Amino acid sequence: AKLIEQFKKYYPAELVNGKLNYAEPFLGGGAHFLYVAENFNVKKIYLSDINKDLILTYIVLRQNPQKLIAALKKYQTMYTNTEIDKRKDLFLSVRKNFNQAQTQSQTLHITDVTETNNNASIARAAEFIFLNKTCYNGLWRLNLKNEFNVPFGRYKDLSLFDEENIFAVSAILQNADIVHADYAECEDFISNDTFVYFDPPYRPISKTSGFTSYSKCGFDDADQLQLASFFKKLDNEKGAKLFLSNSDPSNINPADDFFIKAYKGFNIYSVSASRCVNSNAAKRGKIKELLITNINV
């Protein structure tokens, strides 16, 4: 969200004129999608992510915001009424239940949430939001067993949800295709009138910043290069308007030309971002990131 003001000057003119579709294959928190959907008249929207529970939550939010809010209210009351020194136990209990449902049962499928009264889907989405809001620094990290393993965040005051915002986002999502899929599956949706924003797991810029466990599979240099090849394919074969965000290796090593080589021939811009996730608060602050695009301004 904090990068959007810098991104705007590189937007394709067709977006401003309301002539483009929009695709975001690494949806995550969806900040860029929400900005685009609120401020431009996009024709069709395709949203996807490899994180199954994230996609399930978006679909529940789109289809049944009222019941989702009711479930979240119960968690809010539970957290507020639990003594501060016992809130960690509450968090761990919800986390354990969430992981057990993930590993012991595979009966909850994305397609299930097409039924708006699916209580299991709504409960799962509420757990997902509760854990994301109460865990350390709002991280989402899975281990190799596909278990969520972020520790408790120890928040004294917690606002678990914003009811007005949930209804607003639900309204925006009504016109979106929301898909549980690998990023490459967006190809069939994309054409020369599509604006695509890739926000993949970032390449670590140091040995201690290697947070790539958004899914149990990780995202290493080979995956980064495969994504670069897909980016080139969409440019060559589809003529789509492409944006991609990633880390800037020059923060640590000015000689690291990984992305310069991987995206040779494309426009690579440096943007200023805020580092919000670090165990040492003193090391949070401004850092350079990269915006890679085939759009000429």
Side-chain angles (χ1 to χ4, degrees), residues 179-290:
V179 183
H180 173 234
D182 177 79
Y183 69 85
E185 294 184 40
C186 72
E187 184 174 357
D188 289 342
F189 174 85
I190 292 169
S191 65
N192 63 356
D193 63 353
T194 309
F195 178 32
V196 189
Y197 175 52
F198 294 98
D199 188 20
Y202 277 18
R203 182 174 183 255
I205 59 175
S206 69
K207 291 181 180 179
T208 58
S209 65
F211 174 71
T212 56
S213 302
Y214 177 66
S215 72
K216 66 176 181 178
C217 304
F219 207 84
D220 60 18
D221 277 3
D223 294 309
Q224 296 285 359
L225 292 174
Q226 187 173 3
L227 174 58
S229 295
F230 185 67
F231 190 94
K232 294 173 187 176
K233 181 180 182 181
L234 295 183
D235 177 59
N236 292 329
E237 298 180 10
K238 299 285 189 173
K241 285 72 178 171
L242 307 174
F243 263 29
L244 183 142
S245 298
N246 219 306
S247 59
D248 185 347
S250 70
N251 285 289
I252 302 296
N253 180 10
D256 189 336
D257 59 356
F258 180 86
F259 288 114
I260 293 174
K261 288 181 177 179
Y263 290 92
K264 184 178 180 180
F266 293 103
N267 300 314
I268 302 178
Y269 302 106
S270 179
V271 294
S272 178
S274 295
R275 183 197 295 272
C276 298
V277 179
N278 195 302
S279 59
N280 183 347
K283 293 184 178 180
R284 301 174 195 166
K286 293 295 182 181
I287 191 172
K288 291 187 293 182
E289 293 184 2
L290 298 178

Side-chain angles (χ1 to χ4, degrees), residues 34-77:
L34 290 170
Y35 177 81
V36 169
E38 285 183 294
N39 291 277
F40 301 99
N41 184 25
V42 289
K43 296 186 294 182
K44 296 179 181 179
I45 299 168
Y46 174 97
L47 307 171
S48 69
D49 202 283
I50 199 66
N51 186 323
K52 181 177 180 179
D53 286 297
L54 176 72
I55 291 301
L56 184 145
T57 299
Y58 273 114
I59 297 176
V60 168
L61 194 158
R62 177 183 65 187
Q63 297 185 190
N64 210 327
Q66 196 114 25
K67 285 193 174 183
L68 178 60
I69 288 169
L72 290 171
K73 282 182 177 179
K74 292 179 181 179
Y75 276 114
Q76 179 72 69
T77 300

